[in-house]
């Protein structure tokens, strides 16, 4: 190690001498010639990306993140970090430390192809969205999949099954599962089940500060009657917001950046000052998986439902059991009073930012939009059931995170049930039933419930029993009965290199099961859901020449499609 440092110092000294000469010779130029490296460049080249006590970095490339720990991901906190792979798949992925493979997962959703490594320190490192596994992991997995005849599989391994060394290649990066672009998902889990920030193990080079983009004003005295008000940074920074006297809270929408502005990242350290006194602070260093749904109280669900952006609450919401908060953050605005409000943020590298504004009491001003209820009123979180001729609704108070009045209105002309406003966050699920009076009994097996997402009703599943279509829901909105009696499609069957590709598509209830046989032998495939494609490696069965390929696909209403195709393949 001392020898390495000596070499680096020599290089630095030599580079400094060459740089001086070069500058003297090219004194008319503004920059050094392209071939001459500055001391800073040499330090960057030789400086390790990890500290002495850190895990090995799982990629060959520099640390570049496209997603941060505990980042707000709609319905959950992000459990790890997303590492960039230059927009491509197939980068070698390495073990953070010596370990044994404790779990292998293959799924068309979530982490896709994922490996879990159990380390001697008790931690588990997770590597998600892989395109393939290393040879020894792949051999084990292939044996188990063919033995069980299962494409989607989760295997828990004993300590002596597959041992892994520190820095050993365990697979290739990819884009499988719920990934939207090629990257490596990397996370670290403690033995107590908590997920911790993996960046603590690596040296972070980040010079860009977070940016506060918008502020939400939350009317606490009348939050059931009015929606929070969002105000852009341009319209609030160093300005006065006039409000009636009362109790208020602040939410904020922000983004952080790493070395460029290509990805919007999260911030886990925040403070709120009122008249130069700290009113609220929070820092997320870890979390329990069973607490992930409390993101709905950590963020402002009402603002999320109205404008689609995740505003972080800078106050303690009733019912929020997360342990990160100090102070309640509530602002008591008295008549004729003016208060100064400051929001401070700090990212993982210590880059800081803040935004200042003022609240002033003015009785004749009301900036909030009324929260209107239509139809039959129901107190969600207190009442448990509601029944009518057209629909039935059941929800235990323990299944929701906030108590609010909502309205039920059924439109008999278009057969749509509207349960609004949709600003009540769920911890669990409610049961919704819609009367199938316009369908015959022979159609019952094809019926399900759809929820409006954007301009389209999408399946949330369900079944019909005794004339009622029933499904579980975890958010409010607009619902209707849908009928799916159309089988899935097999769009194509083709071979590219040694890879078998099969295009499959179901337009409503979704693909539930898929099976492929080649020459009457079960053949494993991976379902790449976002591409509507089954992928398989023909080298699995050591096949040659004429191939008789059978494909069977079922959707969630048990509509089935099967085809058979003859292809030739010469490896």
């Amino acid at each position: 190690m001392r020898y390495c440092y000596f070499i680096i110092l020599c290089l630095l000294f030599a580079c400094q001498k060459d740089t001086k000469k070069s500058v003297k010779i090219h004194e008319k130029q503004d920059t050094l010639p392209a071939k001459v490296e500055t001391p800073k460049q040499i330090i960057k080249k030789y400086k390790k990306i990890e500290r002495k006590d850190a895990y090995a970095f799982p990629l060959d490339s520099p640390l570049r993140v496209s997603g941060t720990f505990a980042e707000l991901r709609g319905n959950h906190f992000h459990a790890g970090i997303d590492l960039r792979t230059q927009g491509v798949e197939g980068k070698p992925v390495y073990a953070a430390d010596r370990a044994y493979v404790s779990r292998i997962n293959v799924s068309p959703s979530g982490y896709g192809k994922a490996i879990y490594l159990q380390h001697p320190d008790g931690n588990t490192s997770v590597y998600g969205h892989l395109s393939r596994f290393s040879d020894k992991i792949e051999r084990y997995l292939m044996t188990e999949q063919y033995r069980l005849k299962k494409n989607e599989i989760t295997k828990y391994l004993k300590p002596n099954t597959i041992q892994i060394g520190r820095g050993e290649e365990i697979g290739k990066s990819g884009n499988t599962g719920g990934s939207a672009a090629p990257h490596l998902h990397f996370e670290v889990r403690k033995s107590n089940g908590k997920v911790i920030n993996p960046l603590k193990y690596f040296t972070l080079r980040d010079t860009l500060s977070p940016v506060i983009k918008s502020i939400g004003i939350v009317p606490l005295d009348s939050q059931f009657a009015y929606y929070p008000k969002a105000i852009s940074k341009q319209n609030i920074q160093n300005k006065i917001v006039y409000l009636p006297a009362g109790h208020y809270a602040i939410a904020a929408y922000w983004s952080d950046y790493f070395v460029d502005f290509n990805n919007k990242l999260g911030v886990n350290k925040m403070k709120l000052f009122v008249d130069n006194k700290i009113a609220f602070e929070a820092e997320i260093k870890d979390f329990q998986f069973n607490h992930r749904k409390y993101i709905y109280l950590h963020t402002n669900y009402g603002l999320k439902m109205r404008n689609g952006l995740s505003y972080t609450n800078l106050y303690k919401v009733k019912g929020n059991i997360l342990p990160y908060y100090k102070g309640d953050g509530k602002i008591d605005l008295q008549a004729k009073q003016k208060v100064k409000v400051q929001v401070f943020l700090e990212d993982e590298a210590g880059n800081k930012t803040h935004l200042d504004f003022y609240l002033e009491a003015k009785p004749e001003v009301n900036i909030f939009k009324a929260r209107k209820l239509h139809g039959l009123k129901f107190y969600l979180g207190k009442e448990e059931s509601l029944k009518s001729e057209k629909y039935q609704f059941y929800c235990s108070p323990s299944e929701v995170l906030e108590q609010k009045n909502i309205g039920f209105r059924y439109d008999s002309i278009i057969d749509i049930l509207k349960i609004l406003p949709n600003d009540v966050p769920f911890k669990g699920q409610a049961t919704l039933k819609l009367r199938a009076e316009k369908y015959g009994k022979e159609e019952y097996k094809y019926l399900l419930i759809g929820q409006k997402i954007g301009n389209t009703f999408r399946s949330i599943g369900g079944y019909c029993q005794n004339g009622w279509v029933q499904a579980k829901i975890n958010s409010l909105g607009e619902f209707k009965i849908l009928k799916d009696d159309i089988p899935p499609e097999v769009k194509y069957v083709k071979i590219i290199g040694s890879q078998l590709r099969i295009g499959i598509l179901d337009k409503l209830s979704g693909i539930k099961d898929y099976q492929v046989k080649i020459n009457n032998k079960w053949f494993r495939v991976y379902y790449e859901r976002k591409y509507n494609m089954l992928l398989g490696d023909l080298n699995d069965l050591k096949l040659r020449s004429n191939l008789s390929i059978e494909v069977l696909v079922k959707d969630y209403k048990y509509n089935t499609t099967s085809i058979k195709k003859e292809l030739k393949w010469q490896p």
Side-chain angles (χ1 to χ4, degrees):
M1 182 62 72
R2 291 179 180 175
Y3 180 71
C4 292
Y5 283 128
F6 176 75
I7 291 174
I8 293 172
L9 288 172
C10 291
L11 286 168
L12 286 172
F13 179 74
C15 180
Q16 285 175 330
K17 289 179 68 179
D18 291 342
T19 299
K20 288 178 181 177
K21 292 179 181 178
S22 184
V23 171
K24 191 172 182 179
I25 294 171
H26 302 277
E27 58 187 0
K28 294 183 180 180
Q29 298 182 6
D30 294 330
T31 58
L32 296 176
K35 294 183 179 180
V36 177
E37 290 183 302
T38 65
K40 186 176 181 181
Q41 289 172 323
I42 290 183
I43 291 173
K44 185 176 181 181
K45 180 185 288 186
Y46 286 94
K47 186 176 180 182
K48 286 189 175 182
I49 200 167
E50 52 184 294
R51 298 190 298 268
K52 290 181 181 179
D53 60 341
Y55 287 148
F57 192 63
L59 294 171
D60 281 328
S61 54
L63 196 163
R64 297 288 185 267
V65 294
S66 58
T68 49
F69 175 76
E71 195 172 282
L72 309 178
R73 292 292 181 90
N75 62 356
H76 65 277
F77 294 104
H78 188 223
I81 55 175
D82 289 339
L83 299 172
R84 296 188 195 177
T85 57
Q86 292 80 51
V88 298
E89 301 181 32
K91 297 285 185 180
V93 176
Y94 305 102
D97 202 357
R98 63 188 181 91
Y100 71 88
V101 178
S102 60
R103 179 177 166 188
I104 306 171
N105 196 67
V106 178
S107 169
S109 59
Y111 294 163
K113 295 182 178 182
I115 296 175
Y116 297 69
L117 299 183
Q118 180 70 51
H119 300 291
D121 62 3
N123 291 349
T124 298
S125 59
V126 184
Y127 310 77
H129 309 304
L130 302 177
S131 59
R132 61 166 285 115
F133 303 109
S134 66
D135 289 344
K136 66 181 179 182
I137 297 174
E138 191 68 49
R139 282 194 298 269
Y140 171 85
L141 177 66
M142 184 173 69
T143 300
E144 290 300 293
Q145 285 182 292
Y146 276 98
R147 181 177 69 85
L148 299 170
K149 291 183 172 56
K150 290 184 68 174
N151 292 307
E152 300 173 24
I153 192 170
T154 299
K155 289 296 298 181
Y156 293 90
L157 284 69
K158 295 180 179 180
N160 294 325
T161 306
I162 302 178
Q163 297 283 334
I164 300 292
R166 179 185 172 93
E168 180 180 340
E169 183 174 332
I170 56 174
K172 303 290 188 184
S173 67
N175 188 30
T176 55
S179 171
H183 72 279
L184 173 67
H185 174 88
F186 177 69
E187 68 182 63
V188 178
R189 303 180 182 184
K190 303 289 283 185
S191 58
N192 61 6
K194 286 186 177 181
V195 191
I196 59 176
N197 192 344
L199 287 177
K200 68 179 287 186
Y201 295 101
F202 307 112
T203 301
L204 189 63
R205 303 184 188 95
D206 172 11
T207 58
L208 298 178
S209 296
V211 177
I212 301 172
K213 299 184 175 182
S214 181
I215 294 293
I217 311 294
V218 184
L220 297 178
D221 295 331
S222 54
Q223 60 179 316
F224 295 154
Y226 294 97
Y227 292 110
K229 174 68 174 179
I231 306 174
S232 68
K233 176 182 178 180
Q234 291 77 10
N235 292 327
I236 198 171
Q237 188 169 25
N238 297 320
K239 296 180 181 177
I240 301 173
V241 179
Y242 295 101
L243 303 167
H247 296 88
Y248 296 92
I250 303 299
Y253 169 63
W254 56 63
S255 293
D256 190 28
Y257 304 94
F258 192 52
V259 294
D260 53 40
F261 296 95
N262 292 335
N263 298 99
K264 296 178 181 179
L265 309 173
V267 179
N268 296 333
K269 192 172 184 179
M270 60 215 72
K271 292 182 180 180
L272 176 75
F273 285 80
V274 178
D275 283 340
N276 299 315
K277 294 181 180 179
I278 191 162
F280 176 86
E281 62 180 314
E283 183 175 7
I284 304 177
K285 295 181 179 180
D286 55 40
F287 64 81
Q288 297 275 11
F289 270 100
N290 60 350
H291 289 168
R292 294 173 90 188
K293 283 289 186 179
Y294 285 93
I295 190 174
Y296 291 139
L297 298 183
H298 179 76
T299 58
N300 195 283
Y301 195 73
L303 286 169
K304 174 74 172 179
M305 291 298 102
R306 287 185 64 77
N307 62 20
L309 302 176
S310 293
Y311 285 71
T312 299
N313 285 325
L314 300 176
Y315 69 104
K316 180 77 179 287
V317 178
K318 182 180 178 181
N320 189 348
I321 66 172
L322 297 177
Y324 315 125
Y325 315 114
K326 294 180 181 179
D328 64 10
K330 296 173 183 176
I331 301 172
D332 183 7
L333 187 64
Q334 302 289 334
K336 300 182 180 180
Q337 184 185 17
K338 179 181 177 181
V339 299
K340 182 180 181 180
V341 181
Q342 297 171 289
V343 177
F344 285 82
L345 302 180
E346 182 177 340
D347 66 17
E348 190 67 24
N351 301 306
K352 300 176 182 178
T353 192
H354 74 279
L355 186 147
D356 302 351
F357 59 96
Y358 300 87
L359 302 181
E360 184 173 340
K362 202 170 185 179
E364 67 274 16
V365 175
N366 185 7
I367 65 171
F368 303 104
K369 186 174 181 179
R371 184 178 181 273
K372 296 180 180 179
L373 301 179
H374 298 281
L376 193 59
K377 293 181 181 179
F378 181 81
Y379 202 149
L380 188 60
K382 284 193 174 181
E383 300 177 75
E384 293 197 19
S385 63
L386 179 65
K387 296 180 180 181
S388 77
E389 293 182 357
K390 301 287 188 180
Y391 58 86
Q392 297 178 9
F393 181 81
Y394 305 87
C395 184
S396 168
S398 63
E399 298 297 306
V400 295
L401 292 168
E402 287 185 322
Q403 297 178 347
K404 283 186 180 180
N405 276 313
I406 57 175
F408 285 73
R409 183 172 62 179
Y410 192 88
D411 190 328
S412 298
I413 298 176
I414 54 177
D415 292 313
I416 292 177
L417 173 65
K418 297 181 179 182
I419 312 177
L420 299 170
N422 63 342
D423 59 350
V424 183
F426 279 71
K427 181 171 63 175
Q429 294 179 315
T431 299
L432 176 65
K433 294 183 178 182
L434 299 178
R435 191 173 183 85
E437 58 184 354
K438 294 185 178 180
Y439 297 91
K441 290 184 178 180
E442 70 281 0
E443 298 175 287
Y444 283 178
K445 64 180 180 179
Y446 300 119
L447 302 184
L448 50 87
I449 291 180
Q451 182 174 8
K452 192 173 185 180
I453 308 295
N455 296 319
T456 305
F457 281 88
R458 298 182 183 177
S459 169
I460 57 172
Y463 60 92
C464 187
Q465 187 176 38
N466 299 324
W468 290 86
V469 185
Q470 173 179 322
K472 297 289 186 181
I473 65 172
N474 56 19
S475 62
L476 305 178
E478 300 183 29
F479 304 89
K480 68 180 297 184
I481 295 175
L482 300 176
K483 178 183 174 182
D484 182 7
D485 59 355
I486 301 174
E489 299 177 55
V490 177
K491 308 286 285 186
Y492 56 82
V493 179
K494 59 186 178 182
I495 297 172
I496 298 180
S498 62
Q499 188 180 69
L500 175 66
R501 297 184 181 183
I502 304 171
I504 60 174
L505 178 66
D506 189 80
K507 295 180 179 180
L508 192 49
S509 61
I511 302 294
K512 181 179 182 180
D513 188 32
Y514 47 93
Q515 301 293 332
V516 177
K517 287 184 178 181
I518 299 182
N519 297 345
N520 293 317
K521 293 182 178 180
W522 186 87
F523 180 71
R524 70 167 181 163
V525 290
Y526 179 72
Y527 179 25
E528 192 61 270
R529 182 178 289 167
K530 56 181 161 288
Y531 300 133
N532 298 313
M533 189 187 301
L534 301 178
L535 302 172
D537 186 351
L538 293 174
N539 291 313
D540 276 7
L541 299 180
K542 298 180 180 179
L543 299 165
R544 297 291 185 273
S545 192
N546 298 329
L547 306 180
S548 177
I549 302 171
E550 299 174 68
V551 182
L552 176 68
V553 185
K554 295 180 181 179
D555 67 16
Y556 278 92
K557 299 314 292 184
Y558 298 100
N559 300 299
T560 302
T561 296
S562 62
I563 70 162
K564 189 172 183 179
K565 188 163 185 177
E566 306 293 327
L567 292 176
K568 290 185 177 182
W569 177 61
Q570 187 62 44

